[in-house]
Amino acid sequence: MISKERRITVGPEDSASRWGNPGVEVLSTPAILGHVERLCADLVQPRLAPGEMTVGVQVVMNHRAPARVGEVVVMEATVADDGSQPRFDFSVRSVDGSVLCDGEHRRAVVDADRFRARISA
């Protein structure tokens, strides 16, 4: 199994305050999704053919516990199913190992030039 891990320090830009919950200075669900998408894209990138890229197409996540701004969290993604729509299992944990979030993410492999042409039309 191919996996990748990334440690981040939760910053103000990751907080729920930034996403419409004033005064809630914890890691937001949208920020988790953004970090997980980047981690999964980075994980699969070396396996792509020249001219290919991936785009997110599905996510199922369970946000189980908070992490305060300033805390370090560990994000891990594992390729669970390879192919034209790779599937990843992911987790976000505190440094003590407590699960803060877990779930599944699927990406689609697309032709980069065709995709960019389609969105700029």
Side-chain angles (χ1 to χ4, degrees):
M1 288 232 221
I2 301 167
S3 62
K4 188 174 188 88
E5 184 179 285
R6 185 169 291 151
R7 288 176 180 258
I8 66 155
T9 301
V10 178
E13 68 280 3
D14 298 315
S15 75
S17 282
R18 184 176 185 278
W19 292 95
N21 289 309
V24 182
E25 301 301 321
V26 298
L27 181 60
S28 68
T29 303
I32 291 172
L33 178 56
H35 287 293
V36 165
E37 282 213 69
R38 281 190 296 276
L39 181 62
C40 292
D42 291 349
L43 179 57
V44 76
Q45 183 64 40
R47 302 166 61 106
L48 298 177
E52 289 183 331
M53 64 183 279
T54 63
V55 294
V57 295
Q58 184 180 41
V59 65
V60 176
M61 64 190 305
N62 306 297
H63 196 160
R64 301 179 184 281
R68 291 178 181 80
V69 168
E71 286 185 51
V72 174
V73 297
V74 180
M75 299 190 173
E76 182 178 18
T78 302
V79 178
D81 182 21
D82 219 348
S84 65
Q85 287 199 356
R87 183 175 59 83
F88 306 85
D89 293 326
F90 70 88
S91 67
V92 180
R93 298 179 184 274
S94 64
V95 290
D96 72 5
S98 301
V99 176
L100 307 175
C101 183
D102 58 8
E104 182 180 293
H105 177 50
R106 190 173 292 274
R107 301 188 68 75
V109 177
V110 299
D111 178 278
D113 289 339
R114 237 182 304 173
F115 182 78
R116 288 185 182 110
R118 186 174 142 209
I119 62 172
S120 62

